[in-house]
Amino acid sequence: MGMLLALGYDKMTNLHKLAGYQVSQKIKNQEIFAEEYISLVFERISNVDSKINSFISKNHESALLKAKQIDKKIRNNEKLGSLLGIPIGIKDNISVLGLKTTCASKMLQEYVSPYNATVVDRLEKQDALIIGKLNMDEFGMGTSSEFSHYGAVHNPWNQDYVAGGSSGGSAAAVSSLQIPISLGSDTGGSIRCPSSFCSVIGIKPTYGLVSRYGLVSYSNSLEQIGPMARTIIDIAMTLNTICGKDSSDSTSTTAATLDQQFEYKINTVDGVLGKNYKVGIIDNLILSSESQVMETVFKKIDLLKKHGFDVQKTKINYSDFALAAYYVIATAEASSNLSRFDNIRYGFSHNPQGYEWNSYSSHVRSNFGDEVKRRILVGSFVLSAGYYGKYYLKAQKVRNAIKNEFNKLFKLFDVLILPTMPILPFKIGEKGAKPLDLFNLDIYTILANLAGIPAMSIPAGFSKKGLPIGLQILSNEFNEQILIDIATFFENKDKFNEWIPNI
Ligand code: GLN
């Protein structure tokens, strides 16, 4: 512990407040050893996480071993990765070699991944350290991170409240300063909703920008993996690391833009203003949000206007049909994806003796949680003979109509603004029994998934009771740079990375 003592007690206790890129710099400059820092990270997790429940499993030994190797690399003047020594947590539906991937489901409680997801390989190649696997709604199905076999995630700003879902552990671990960066996945808002509820930054990239290889599928045509962090530099650095074509995922597109690296270092407020972005305010949707959310979002819009952005009101058609279309498509794909969990290829060991095939299958599959069962039932129904045209095909038509709406809007605007969530975080247990109430909360986030466009949630402010509110920014496909720029503007103006919960 030599170096940390040399840093002084105060700096040592405040290390967890640093962003990933700042810690990495300190390790590179040999101000701290990676090994010492990672020990402190685990110490903080054991002090804090009993209140938050964000980790399902930890990677203590292997992360410390890798940290030692990093210290050695530095001593030997070897080539160093861009995420050197940064501790990163991974949502528990993304495969990490040798660690359990439970998807927060009883069904997979013993399943150990035999390979790394491509995103994990890419992070490790840049010397990031995988710290553990993060809690979530079972298989990503939910909006509150209450539907977990491992118990609900608690919001760091007020532990009686939900953290948002489904990547609630990923958001809460970052918000409570246990780790600076995490990965989540977003099928209909699962990165952005918890980012908004926990006051961190989260981005759902363009469909195809990031490989899904090694992500346990919920709804393949909608979902993407993306980073969550407290600073925009950490978001951009992580996105740069994980994005790009992957031969193991044929939906990672071959678009030339995928080789791009997003720029973040030179961005200043003037630099962003110089780009003359046209901002569209989706008025018809903002007006349907809770009053404190609406007021906060309008304050952010005023800030843009005050600084000379060209801001215009606009509206999006067909959004009334979006929720129905999303839940038809998502459950249809889920019912097919989850059929592999039959306790033969995957599942926990259960003696089949004395069972017929059907009764064995239904016995084993009764281990899914209620929400997952609901999705399988709805999905099987909408795909069944006679109903396919009535529901699934109609949903695809709505999806196309929404995509066309965005195509039109992005001819007029570079960026669109919405709240992330229509309401404030709610109390744990408050909505669990009302599935439709939870479905309705996804109204602002599902649009980007249906259209395949990128969307980011950034911290925007707080309610009177101190609960976080998020602002959502959307841009056209492969235009993540614009989201990073606009977020940089707000980060500079609001200093939201200094908004830290008292935990
Ligand atoms: N809340 C949405 C759902 O339950 C989105 C979940 C997600 O993005 N994984 O489907």
Side-chain angles (χ1 to χ4, degrees):
M1 290 281 148
M3 279 205 195
L4 282 180
L5 290 177
L7 268 178
Y9 180 72
D10 195 40
K11 278 197 191 137
M12 190 173 138
T13 48
N14 278 324
L15 274 178
H16 59 276
K17 292 193 179 151
L18 296 181
Y21 76 93
Q22 291 169 320
V23 164
S24 190
Q25 206 58 49
K26 283 194 185 300
I27 294 174
K28 209 174 281 173
N29 296 343
Q30 303 199 356
E31 287 174 55
I32 46 173
F33 288 128
E35 188 190 352
E36 285 176 315
Y37 171 62
I38 294 302
S39 305
L40 285 179
V41 168
F42 281 111
E43 206 176 297
R44 177 148 177 98
I45 293 172
S46 59
N47 290 336
V48 171
D49 208 42
S50 51
K51 294 181 232 160
I52 304 296
N53 198 26
S54 56
F55 280 89
I56 290 181
S57 58
K58 281 162 249 168
N59 193 23
H60 203 146
E61 273 172 34
S62 154
L64 274 179
L65 198 74
K66 288 205 172 126
K68 270 188 205 164
Q69 287 164 0
I70 283 175
D71 288 329
K72 201 166 147 207
K73 266 188 170 183
I74 298 171
R75 275 201 304 278
N76 294 345
N77 269 327
E78 286 173 41
K79 194 168 174 283
L80 305 173
S82 60
L83 301 177
L84 183 82
I86 302 182
I88 300 191
I90 308 286
K91 187 177 182 180
D92 208 18
N93 60 351
I94 300 172
S95 308
V96 179
L97 173 69
L99 295 189
K100 280 185 187 168
T101 300
T102 70
C103 298
S105 179
K106 187 177 175 196
M107 198 57 130
L108 290 179
Q109 62 187 348
E110 299 303 336
Y111 171 70
V112 176
S113 292
Y115 67 97
N116 267 342
T118 297
V119 289
V120 172
D121 267 344
R122 289 183 178 177
L123 291 176
E124 290 195 322
K125 221 171 143 199
Q126 294 303 328
D127 292 327
L129 298 165
I130 307 301
I131 290 298
K133 304 296 293 294
L134 295 160
N135 205 352
M136 54 185 282
D137 286 299
E138 186 177 359
F139 288 103
M141 298 170 185
T143 309
S144 61
S145 293
E146 292 171 284
F147 303 143
S148 163
H149 180 57
Y150 299 91
V153 181
H154 295 254
N155 193 312
W157 294 88
N158 183 333
Q159 284 119 64
D160 294 337
Y161 286 76
V162 300
S166 66
S167 315
S170 303
V174 169
S175 155
S176 57
L177 311 182
Q178 300 185 58
I179 44 171
I181 302 174
S182 63
L183 291 188
S185 68
D186 190 310
T187 312
S190 279
I191 288 176
R192 290 160 288 156
C193 161
S195 295
S196 166
F197 278 9
C198 294
S199 197
V200 300
I201 313 166
I203 180 170
K204 179 205 87 74
T206 306
Y207 188 78
L209 184 77
V210 176
S211 166
R212 289 180 298 110
Y213 181 69
L215 167 71
V216 178
S217 297
Y218 159 16
S219 179
N220 318 45
S221 77
L222 296 163
E223 63 209 359
Q224 275 288 285
I225 296 171
M228 296 152 90
R230 294 189 304 271
T231 65
I232 204 67
I233 295 187
D234 278 359
I235 289 282
M237 281 174 63
T238 311
L239 192 58
N240 280 342
T241 304
I242 62 175
C243 75
K245 173 90 189 131
D246 174 21
S247 55
S248 303
D249 174 4
S250 58
T251 62
S252 70
T253 97
T254 49
T257 40
L258 284 186
D259 293 327
Q260 75 194 53
Q261 290 282 284
F262 301 107
E263 190 53 66
Y264 51 89
K265 285 184 202 132
I266 54 153
N267 277 339
T268 59
V269 170
D270 286 343
V272 176
L273 287 173
K275 295 193 182 179
N276 292 323
Y277 289 137
K278 286 203 173 92
V279 183
I281 306 299
I282 309 189
D283 213 38
N284 60 326
L285 289 181
I286 299 181
L287 295 176
S288 66
S289 60
E290 194 173 283
S291 62
Q292 293 189 68
V293 173
M294 197 182 346
E295 280 162 25
T296 306
V297 169
F298 277 122
K299 268 192 207 149
K300 299 296 118 174
I301 294 167
D302 286 344
L303 194 67
L304 289 172
K305 284 186 189 156
K306 203 177 117 199
H307 284 85
F309 280 93
D310 178 358
V311 180
Q312 312 270 340
K313 282 185 188 169
T314 185
K315 67 179 197 127
I316 180 153
N317 294 311
Y318 309 114
S319 57
D320 289 353
F321 305 108
L323 267 174
Y326 169 81
Y327 274 96
V328 167
I329 295 168
T331 56
E333 292 182 20
S335 71
S336 157
N337 277 321
L338 294 177
S339 65
R340 76 190 62 155
F341 302 108
D342 54 7
N343 207 34
I344 293 169
R345 287 163 292 183
Y346 300 93
F348 52 94
S349 85
H350 181 84
N351 190 350
Q353 203 147 18
Y355 286 98
E356 299 290 319
W357 166 246
N358 277 346
S359 59
Y360 180 69
S361 176
S362 50
H363 178 74
V364 169
R365 286 167 69 81
S366 69
N367 285 298
F368 283 130
D370 285 349
E371 186 56 32
V372 174
K373 284 185 203 156
R374 186 176 358 261
R375 309 286 177 112
I376 295 174
L377 289 174
V378 174
S380 307
F381 177 77
V382 298
L383 288 178
S384 56
Y387 290 109
Y388 183 81
K390 200 167 166 190
Y391 297 111
Y392 189 74
L393 283 183
K394 260 197 195 149
Q396 295 293 9
K397 281 184 189 159
V398 171
R399 186 177 191 169
N400 270 337
I402 287 172
K403 176 77 187 139
N404 289 338
E405 279 293 297
F406 277 113
N407 286 343
K408 277 190 226 155
L409 285 173
F410 286 122
K411 289 208 173 91
L412 303 171
F413 302 102
D414 298 296
V415 60
L416 298 168
I417 300 274
L418 268 181
T420 308
M421 299 301 291
I423 63 165
L424 298 169
F426 45 92
K427 282 209 164 130
I428 291 177
E430 194 182 315
K431 290 193 195 289
K434 301 177 198 146
L436 280 181
D437 282 6
L438 279 177
F439 290 2
N440 284 332
L441 300 183
D442 300 337
I443 176 70
Y444 300 151
T445 48
I446 51 169
L447 296 169
N449 303 78
L450 287 167
I453 57 174
M456 186 188 272
S457 180
I458 60 170
F462 296 89
S463 72
K464 291 188 189 96
K465 281 190 179 165
L467 294 166
I469 295 169
L471 180 79
Q472 192 182 187
I473 325 167
L474 299 89
S475 65
N476 208 353
E477 38 189 30
F478 301 114
N479 268 331
E480 276 78 358
Q481 185 64 59
I482 301 180
L483 305 183
I484 290 169
D485 290 347
I486 300 284
T488 300
F489 167 81
F490 282 113
E491 188 179 57
N492 272 284
K493 286 288 155 201
D494 281 346
K495 306 263 180 288
F496 55 66
N497 45 6
E498 291 167 14
W499 303 348
I500 286 170
N502 192 8
I503 186 153

